[in-house]
Short mmCIF file of all heavy atoms in Angstrom, two decimals:
data_model
loop_
_atom_site.label_atom_id
_atom_site.label_comp_id
_atom_site.label_asym_id
_atom_site.label_seq_id
_atom_site.Cartn_x
_atom_site.Cartn_y
_atom_site.Cartn_z
N ALA A 120 97.11 94.42 151.76
CA ALA A 120 96.12 93.47 152.23
C ALA A 120 96.22 92.16 151.47
O ALA A 120 96.08 91.09 152.03
CB ALA A 120 94.72 94.11 152.07
N ALA A 121 96.43 92.26 150.14
CA ALA A 121 96.54 91.03 149.34
C ALA A 121 97.76 90.23 149.78
O ALA A 121 97.71 88.99 149.88
CB ALA A 121 96.64 91.38 147.88
N GLY A 122 98.86 90.92 150.07
CA GLY A 122 100.05 90.20 150.54
C GLY A 122 99.83 89.50 151.87
O GLY A 122 100.33 88.39 152.08
N GLU A 123 99.06 90.13 152.75
CA GLU A 123 98.73 89.49 154.03
C GLU A 123 97.92 88.21 153.82
O GLU A 123 98.14 87.19 154.48
CB GLU A 123 97.99 90.45 154.93
CG GLU A 123 98.83 91.65 155.40
CD GLU A 123 98.01 92.68 156.13
OE1 GLU A 123 96.76 92.47 156.25
OE2 GLU A 123 98.59 93.69 156.59
N ILE A 124 96.93 88.28 152.91
CA ILE A 124 96.09 87.13 152.66
C ILE A 124 96.94 85.97 152.06
O ILE A 124 96.77 84.81 152.44
CB ILE A 124 94.96 87.50 151.71
CG1 ILE A 124 94.00 88.51 152.39
CG2 ILE A 124 94.17 86.27 151.23
CD1 ILE A 124 92.97 89.12 151.46
N LEU A 125 97.83 86.31 151.16
CA LEU A 125 98.63 85.28 150.45
C LEU A 125 99.80 84.76 151.26
O LEU A 125 100.45 83.79 150.88
CB LEU A 125 99.10 85.81 149.13
CG LEU A 125 98.00 86.06 148.08
CD1 LEU A 125 98.51 86.97 146.96
CD2 LEU A 125 97.52 84.73 147.51
N ALA A 126 100.11 85.43 152.37
CA ALA A 126 101.25 85.00 153.18
C ALA A 126 101.08 83.58 153.70
O ALA A 126 102.08 82.87 153.96
CB ALA A 126 101.46 85.97 154.36
N ALA A 127 99.85 83.16 153.85
CA ALA A 127 99.58 81.80 154.36
C ALA A 127 99.69 80.73 153.29
O ALA A 127 99.65 79.54 153.58
CB ALA A 127 98.21 81.74 155.02
N GLY A 128 99.82 81.10 152.02
CA GLY A 128 99.92 80.14 150.94
C GLY A 128 99.00 80.48 149.80
O GLY A 128 98.28 81.49 149.82
N PRO A 129 98.93 79.61 148.79
CA PRO A 129 98.10 79.86 147.61
C PRO A 129 96.63 80.05 147.96
O PRO A 129 96.09 79.36 148.85
CB PRO A 129 98.30 78.59 146.74
CG PRO A 129 99.62 78.05 147.19
CD PRO A 129 99.71 78.35 148.65
N VAL A 130 96.04 81.00 147.24
CA VAL A 130 94.59 81.26 147.43
C VAL A 130 93.97 81.36 146.03
O VAL A 130 94.56 81.98 145.11
CB VAL A 130 94.35 82.60 148.19
CG1 VAL A 130 92.87 82.90 148.27
CG2 VAL A 130 94.98 82.53 149.58
N GLY A 131 92.82 80.77 145.83
CA GLY A 131 92.13 80.88 144.55
C GLY A 131 91.83 82.31 144.18
O GLY A 131 91.56 83.16 145.06
N ARG A 132 91.88 82.61 142.87
CA ARG A 132 91.68 83.98 142.45
C ARG A 132 90.31 84.52 142.86
O ARG A 132 90.21 85.65 143.35
CB ARG A 132 91.88 84.07 140.92
CG ARG A 132 92.04 85.48 140.40
CD ARG A 132 92.77 85.48 139.07
NE ARG A 132 91.95 84.98 137.99
CZ ARG A 132 92.40 84.80 136.73
NH1 ARG A 132 93.67 85.04 136.43
NH2 ARG A 132 91.61 84.32 135.78
N PRO A 133 89.22 83.73 142.71
CA PRO A 133 87.92 84.23 143.17
C PRO A 133 87.87 84.47 144.67
O PRO A 133 87.28 85.43 145.15
CB PRO A 133 86.94 83.12 142.74
CG PRO A 133 87.63 82.41 141.63
CD PRO A 133 89.07 82.45 142.00
N GLU A 134 88.51 83.59 145.45
CA GLU A 134 88.51 83.72 146.91
C GLU A 134 89.33 84.96 147.32
O GLU A 134 88.95 85.71 148.23
CB GLU A 134 89.06 82.47 147.56
CG GLU A 134 89.27 82.55 149.06
CD GLU A 134 87.94 82.74 149.84
OE1 GLU A 134 86.87 82.57 149.26
OE2 GLU A 134 88.05 83.08 151.05
N LEU A 135 90.46 85.16 146.66
CA LEU A 135 91.27 86.36 146.96
C LEU A 135 90.47 87.60 146.67
O LEU A 135 90.45 88.53 147.49
CB LEU A 135 92.56 86.32 146.12
CG LEU A 135 93.47 87.55 146.22
CD1 LEU A 135 93.96 87.75 147.64
CD2 LEU A 135 94.62 87.44 145.23
N THR A 136 89.78 87.63 145.55
CA THR A 136 88.96 88.79 145.22
C THR A 136 87.85 88.98 146.23
O THR A 136 87.59 90.12 146.66
CB THR A 136 88.36 88.62 143.80
OG1 THR A 136 89.41 88.46 142.85
CG2 THR A 136 87.57 89.85 143.39
N ARG A 137 87.19 87.93 146.62
CA ARG A 137 86.10 87.99 147.59
C ARG A 137 86.58 88.59 148.91
O ARG A 137 85.92 89.46 149.49
CB ARG A 137 85.48 86.64 147.82
CG ARG A 137 84.25 86.63 148.75
CD ARG A 137 83.84 85.22 149.17
NE ARG A 137 84.85 84.63 150.03
CZ ARG A 137 84.97 84.91 151.32
NH1 ARG A 137 84.17 85.82 151.91
NH2 ARG A 137 85.91 84.33 152.04
N ARG A 138 87.71 88.12 149.38
CA ARG A 138 88.23 88.60 150.67
C ARG A 138 88.68 90.06 150.60
O ARG A 138 88.54 90.80 151.57
CB ARG A 138 89.34 87.66 151.15
CG ARG A 138 88.85 86.25 151.52
CD ARG A 138 89.92 85.26 151.72
NE ARG A 138 90.74 85.55 152.87
CZ ARG A 138 91.74 84.76 153.33
NH1 ARG A 138 91.99 83.60 152.66
NH2 ARG A 138 92.44 85.08 154.37
N LEU A 139 89.22 90.42 149.44
CA LEU A 139 89.61 91.85 149.31
C LEU A 139 88.38 92.76 149.18
O LEU A 139 88.39 93.87 149.75
CB LEU A 139 90.51 92.01 148.06
CG LEU A 139 91.91 91.42 148.21
CD1 LEU A 139 92.63 91.46 146.86
CD2 LEU A 139 92.71 92.17 149.26
N VAL A 140 87.36 92.31 148.49
CA VAL A 140 86.14 93.10 148.40
C VAL A 140 85.51 93.29 149.78
O VAL A 140 84.96 94.35 150.12
CB VAL A 140 85.13 92.46 147.43
CG1 VAL A 140 83.77 93.13 147.54
CG2 VAL A 140 85.67 92.55 146.00
N ALA A 141 85.64 92.26 150.62
CA ALA A 141 85.11 92.37 151.99
C ALA A 141 85.87 93.44 152.77
O ALA A 141 85.30 94.10 153.64
CB ALA A 141 85.21 91.02 152.68
#
Side-chain angles (χ1 to χ4, degrees):
E123 292 173 359
I124 294 170
L125 291 164
V130 176
R132 196 157 72 185
E134 174 64 13
L135 175 61
T136 303
R137 185 192 67 79
R138 291 169 66 175
L139 288 172
V140 169

